[in-house]
């Protein structure tokens, strides 16, 4: 997503997140910003929301690991209540990254000169 060059409002860059993120969210932010060019404020906000959701999902995962995936209450066994919230956050992250178009490999510039095969140049 390329920002309109006429816009004077700079939102964030690869080194500057729009809000405070934890380690998992900041890692995702940095990895994405190093591979893709997201400069519009909408795209940056969407990415920030996904990164915050990753922080939340990882926090929930830690709680689930601490308490166990199931809780035993007398004779009753129940799923940990945070499981559905962790899954919802992770599903949000995946949907968001797909909507940003980040499920495709980034386009990289070719290294070196283009070949001559099939382009009509004869030496």
């Amino acid at each position: 997503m390329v920002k309109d060059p006429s816009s004077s409002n700079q939102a964030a860059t690869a080194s500057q997140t729009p809000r405070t993120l934890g380690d998992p969210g900041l890692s995702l932010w940095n990895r994405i910003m190093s591979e893709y060019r997201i400069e519009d404020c909408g795209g940056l906000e969407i990415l920030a929301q996904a990164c915050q959701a990753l922080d939340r999902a990882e926090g929930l995962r830690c709680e689930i690991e601490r308490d166990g995936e199931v809780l035993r209450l007398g004779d009753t066994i129940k799923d940990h209540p945070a499981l559905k919230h962790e899954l919802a956050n992770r599903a949000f992250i995946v949907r968001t990254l797909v909507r940003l178009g980040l499920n495709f490999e980034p386009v990289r510039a070719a290294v070196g000169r283009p070949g001559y095969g099939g382009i009509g140049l004869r030496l």
Side-chain angles (χ1 to χ4, degrees), residues 11-90:
T13 64
S15 62
Q16 174 189 11
T17 60
R19 60 183 55 87
T20 303
L21 298 172
D23 289 340
L26 185 59
S27 174
L28 179 61
W29 176 274
N30 288 332
R31 285 180 288 143
I32 288 174
M33 293 302 282
S34 71
E35 291 185 24
Y36 296 90
R37 187 171 169 199
I38 301 174
E39 297 177 347
D40 63 295
C41 78
L44 291 168
E45 179 61 29
I46 291 169
L47 177 58
Q49 292 290 327
C51 292
Q52 283 186 310
L54 180 58
D55 285 341
R56 176 68 47 92
E58 288 299 313
L60 291 167
R61 182 187 59 80
C62 289
E63 287 188 28
I64 293 165
E65 285 181 359
R66 183 192 66 220
D67 299 339
E69 292 179 359
V70 295
L71 303 176
R72 299 179 195 290
L73 307 168
D75 293 339
T76 307
I77 298 175
K78 294 190 174 199
D79 290 339
H80 193 293
L83 281 171
K84 64 183 176 186
H85 301 294
E86 179 194 12
L87 180 59
N89 275 281
R90 293 190 187 281

Side-chain angles (χ1 to χ4, degrees), residues 88-118:
N89 275 281
R90 293 190 187 281
F92 170 78
I93 294 162
V94 171
R95 284 191 316 272
T96 301
L97 296 180
V98 168
R99 285 188 182 140
L100 283 171
L102 304 181
N103 55 322
F104 299 106
E105 191 164 331
V107 178
R108 302 214 184 267
V111 177
R113 299 184 322 194
Y116 291 109

